[in-house]
Amino acid sequence: MSTHPSRPAEQWAGIITEAYAAKTRPPLTRQLVDEVRDIVAETLKDVEAADIPDAEWCERVNLILDRSEMSLHAAVGPRLAAIDDAAGIALMVHRSEAGRPLRAFGGQ
């Protein structure tokens, strides 16, 4: 991607999706992880083509994660906070209310 040139969109999608899936509860099946990765990759390709700044880059990925969770009606996972281009990692943070991470099956 233009703002993260060290890896192609597909590789970043894999990194982000694995970081997301590692902290999502209840755990995602391998099929769901693959589906999320494909959707994230598609989004990252669009972001790359539009030369989107970093802040909006994360927002776009997080919108996709929101939509994925809404379609599952039960999974809750972290959101992308930043990309460490040099280390090749996605920095994830849990969404929270009242200082506590959100939980699946009914919120707080």
Side-chain angles (χ1 to χ4, degrees):
M1 285 167 277
S2 56
T3 56
H4 302 290
S6 66
R7 290 167 177 75
E10 294 85 6
Q11 190 173 4
W12 278 120
I15 291 167
I16 292 165
T17 302
E18 291 302 322
Y20 168 76
K23 296 181 179 179
T24 299
R25 296 296 173 256
L28 300 177
T29 65
R30 192 74 236 164
Q31 179 181 353
L32 288 173
V33 171
D34 292 344
E35 289 175 17
V36 171
R37 184 183 57 244
D38 291 345
I39 294 168
V40 170
E42 197 174 303
T43 299
L44 294 180
K45 288 175 188 176
D46 291 344
V47 168
E48 180 181 43
D51 196 27
I52 301 293
D54 281 356
E56 190 174 336
W57 195 85
C58 289
E59 287 177 29
R60 296 249 183 130
V61 170
N62 290 333
L63 284 172
I64 294 303
L65 297 176
D66 287 343
R67 289 180 187 148
S68 296
E69 286 180 5
M70 286 177 14
S71 69
L72 295 174
H73 302 292
V76 174
R79 293 298 178 262
L80 181 63
I83 290 294
D84 184 335
D85 197 43
I89 59 173
L91 305 171
M92 307 298 282
V93 294
H94 277 285
R95 299 171 296 153
S96 67
E97 289 183 16
R100 295 187 208 160
L102 296 177
R103 294 181 297 181
F105 309 112
Q108 299 290 315

